[in-house]
Amino acid sequence: MQRCMRQLLTTRTAQLTRCLSTPAIVANMPPCDFVPAKYTGMSNEQMSKIRAENINPAYALLYKNPIYFQQGHMQYLYDTDGNRYLDLIAGIATVSVGHCHPKVNEVLKRQMDRLWHTSNIYYHPAIHEYAEKLVAKFPDPLKVVFFTNSGSEANDLGLFMARLYTGCMDTIVLRGAYHGASPTTMGMTALSSWYYNYPSATSIHKIRNADPYGGIWGGKACRDSLIQPDRDCSCQPGKCEASERYLEEVNDVLTFCSPENKMGLFAHESIQGNAGVMQFPKGYIKEAYAAVRAKGGVCLADEVQTGFGRTGEHFWGFQGNDAVPDIVSMAKGIGNGFPLAAVITTKEIASVMRRSRHFNTFGGNPLACTVGSAVLDVIEEEKLQENAQEVGSFILLELAKLRDEFEIVGDVRGKGLMLGLELVADKKTRKALPTEDFLNIVEDLKDMRILTGLGGHRNNVIRVKPPMCITKADGEYAVACFKKAFQNHLDRKASRV
């Protein structure tokens, strides 16, 4: 009886401590002069009912107690009660320059009064102005653009062009990849949580992921990041043995699983997003490109999450891999939340689309192209790539201190404002933190007005991909909240003993 009473008292004390400390942390959120409009729309209860009865059940919610958002401003979101949240996930790396950025809003409103839609069978200025501006961001020979509406469409088109151009269906993707959820791109995706029992992976070879933290090979000298895995390896400066070992599987597929002297496509994310911000060993992508091209194949870099300056050091993620692809797909941050995506390739590969008619009704429409052009302007004018590098590096280094402090933080990784924290039950075995514990931590962060994402094939990675206008003060606040959430976890764990 005494033991039960002690456990109950400990539990209640921990709960009380959490209730008392959370408002104090929230009060320390960096100030913001923006005042959201008073919400007068549908009630939260009505929204919940419609969600349950009329909206596709695949739209899963992250939190036990959902949030009802009604307005956004730069790096912040506001719920229907006017509470402010620091958005560290940005619609899954989508809001690149800030929610409702004033310049982007202004040009969109102006274009709406001028021309919404015609068709690509006519000329209109917006698509040509934007195409010229966008391709200028790419090295030769990547100078031809196709506009679509989503990343799934972009990757679908990239795969289609690669197969037509090479005359070979065989495609290599990496386990852990997420390239879309359409019937075709699902075949390129290799995360079981996103995979339906549906025939979609014709001639697609899903090879071992080159993961320096969770894979068979890799360690302290393998990753292009300020923070390396806390794991020993035998790699030497300028020579990554882990990369060489993972490349053996690429060569095996080229040798045994494709026609003689022929290969179709090698597709990869420059940093895997849904897999939990997974970075490849140094040199891996560059050497994989060389091997694929030697057999007549082409290479596609999926920049849906890494593009437009998010990695800080470079404008495109593939530049961090020191390799120029043949095809690049992009979406999300390209339109700051507006439906817009694109595929950029060479004139030679693009020419295969003349073999028949190809059309995308809304791809490259005046509204989307006007928004895309404004996003490029804002990234440059407000030096958001540089901000991603500076603030992202600060946050990464501060989070690394939490890895040293807390046993549950197994790995901290990423570049710029594309970061991940892998939470584990044991650092030596790298066993994933139980899902309930992980979700409790994410819920604690939400209660402290911090919005994060979930990733990793074991659903144990906190993803940090905020709007690139985030400030150092925001970063300081976020790190303090992470520390408090991890401490709350330890208090709950102690109360169960």
Side-chain angles (χ1 to χ4, degrees):
M1 175 67 74
Q2 288 180 339
R3 182 182 179 187
C4 291
M5 288 298 294
R6 282 198 302 271
Q7 287 179 338
L8 179 61
L9 181 61
T10 301
T11 301
R12 288 181 174 174
T13 301
Q15 291 172 341
L16 179 61
T17 300
R18 177 182 172 189
C19 291
L20 291 174
S21 62
T22 297
I25 287 182
V26 170
N28 292 328
M29 184 182 288
C32 178
D33 295 334
F34 180 78
V35 179
K38 181 177 176 59
Y39 180 69
T40 58
M42 183 181 291
S43 71
N44 293 351
E45 291 74 20
Q46 284 177 294
M47 284 190 275
S48 295
K49 183 179 179 181
I50 292 170
R51 181 82 171 223
E53 296 180 0
N54 304 119
I55 293 180
N56 189 328
Y59 296 162
L61 295 168
L62 176 59
Y63 300 114
K64 300 172 185 175
N65 299 309
I67 316 172
Y68 301 82
F69 286 121
Q70 62 104 0
Q71 196 164 0
H73 173 73
M74 303 306 286
Q75 65 268 45
Y76 301 114
L77 285 169
Y78 297 83
D79 67 17
T80 51
D81 294 321
N83 296 311
R84 176 164 60 106
Y85 292 77
L86 176 58
D87 186 4
L88 293 188
I89 190 59
I92 320 297
T94 298
V95 180
S96 50
V97 301
H99 291 282
C100 300
H101 190 285
K103 177 167 182 172
V104 180
N105 280 11
E106 179 187 353
V107 298
L108 176 59
K109 291 172 184 175
R110 190 162 61 239
Q111 183 62 46
M112 287 175 70
D113 289 335
R114 185 178 300 157
L115 180 68
W116 276 47
H117 178 74
T118 56
S119 168
N120 286 326
I121 63 173
Y122 307 117
Y123 279 82
H124 67 79
I127 190 172
H128 301 90
E129 292 168 357
Y130 182 43
E132 183 180 44
K133 191 181 293 187
L134 182 60
V135 299
K137 293 289 186 181
F138 285 88
D140 288 328
L142 297 168
K143 294 299 178 183
V144 180
V145 59
F146 291 79
F147 290 112
T148 66
N149 308 288
S150 71
S152 292
E153 282 183 89
N155 281 318
D156 189 297
L157 180 58
L159 175 65
F160 183 63
M161 286 194 292
R163 286 175 164 177
L164 287 177
Y165 179 76
T166 61
C168 183
M169 290 283 290
D170 287 280
T171 301
I172 298 175
V173 297
L174 295 157
R175 295 172 195 165
Y178 180 83
H179 294 293
S182 68
T184 299
T185 55
M186 186 172 62
M188 301 171 69
T189 292
L191 281 167
S192 59
S193 53
W194 294 91
Y195 205 72
Y196 288 80
N197 184 23
Y198 184 84
S200 61
T202 303
S203 298
I204 293 178
H205 311 283
K206 299 177 179 182
I207 66 172
R208 185 187 305 279
N209 206 359
D211 182 355
Y213 173 72
I216 298 176
W217 305 289
K220 292 182 176 179
C222 295
R223 206 158 59 193
D224 178 24
S225 175
L226 291 173
I227 304 300
Q228 295 293 331
D230 185 16
R231 177 185 177 190
D232 291 330
C233 68
S234 57
C235 302
Q236 302 298 320
K239 182 178 174 61
C240 181
E241 291 186 12
S243 178
E244 293 176 357
R245 298 300 300 272
Y246 287 118
L247 282 165
E248 291 174 4
E249 188 159 1
V250 176
N251 288 309
D252 278 353
V253 170
L254 293 173
T255 300
F256 298 106
C257 303
S258 63
E260 191 173 354
N261 298 320
K262 240 180 185 184
M263 184 59 201
L265 177 69
F266 170 66
H268 68 95
E269 297 163 88
S270 294
I271 296 175
Q272 289 188 332
N274 287 33
V277 193
M278 206 292 295
Q279 295 175 272
F280 306 111
K282 296 173 185 176
Y284 175 78
I285 294 297
K286 185 176 183 178
E287 293 302 318
Y289 277 21
V292 168
R293 286 169 173 161
K295 202 169 180 183
V298 295
C299 304
L300 182 152
D302 182 331
E303 295 284 342
V304 171
Q305 295 192 40
T306 51
F308 296 89
R310 177 160 292 279
T311 62
E313 185 180 4
H314 302 289
F315 200 82
W316 304 111
F318 65 76
Q319 293 170 301
N321 291 315
D322 190 27
V324 178
D326 305 288
I327 305 170
V328 182
S329 61
M330 63 205 73
K332 291 186 179 287
I334 189 175
N336 200 46
F338 197 93
L340 175 61
V343 180
I344 286 186
T345 188
T346 67
K347 287 185 178 181
E348 291 75 18
I349 294 175
S351 67
V352 301
M353 301 305 291
R354 291 176 177 163
R355 296 177 187 175
S356 187
R357 290 188 177 185
H358 175 76
F359 193 73
N360 188 309
T361 300
F362 299 109
N365 74 79
L367 296 180
C369 288
T370 298
V371 168
S373 185
V375 167
L376 287 180
D377 290 342
V378 171
I379 291 172
E380 183 175 345
E381 292 165 2
E382 300 184 6
K383 300 186 182 305
L384 295 185
Q385 180 184 338
E386 293 85 345
N387 191 65
Q389 172 77 350
E390 180 181 346
V391 177
S393 296
F394 168 77
I395 295 174
L396 181 63
L397 291 171
E398 290 299 305
L399 291 176
K401 296 176 184 177
L402 300 185
R403 183 185 67 175
D404 297 337
E405 183 175 351
F406 292 94
E407 179 68 20
I408 62 168
V409 185
D411 194 31
V412 174
R413 52 184 179 257
K415 295 175 69 175
L417 289 173
M418 187 165 181
L419 308 175
L421 297 87
E422 184 156 349
L423 304 188
V424 297
D426 180 82
K427 281 189 176 179
K428 286 186 178 180
T429 64
R430 300 187 293 281
K431 181 180 178 181
L433 191 70
T435 299
E436 183 179 357
D437 290 335
F438 180 86
L439 292 177
N440 282 336
I441 289 171
V442 172
E443 197 81 17
D444 279 355
L445 289 168
K446 182 262 294 181
D447 291 343
M448 290 181 268
R449 312 276 169 78
I450 294 288
L451 305 174
T452 58
L454 177 153
H457 71 278
R458 301 182 296 174
N459 292 321
N460 68 321
V461 179
I462 297 177
R463 297 160 70 186
V464 176
K465 305 172 183 182
M468 296 190 296
C469 56
I470 190 174
T471 67
K472 184 177 178 182
D474 292 319
E476 290 172 341
Y477 174 73
V479 172
C481 291
F482 276 109
K483 183 172 183 176
K484 176 59 183 169
F486 296 152
Q487 186 59 53
N488 285 351
H489 166 76
L490 294 181
D491 292 344
R492 284 190 292 268
K493 186 176 179 181
S495 71
R496 296 195 293 262
V497 175

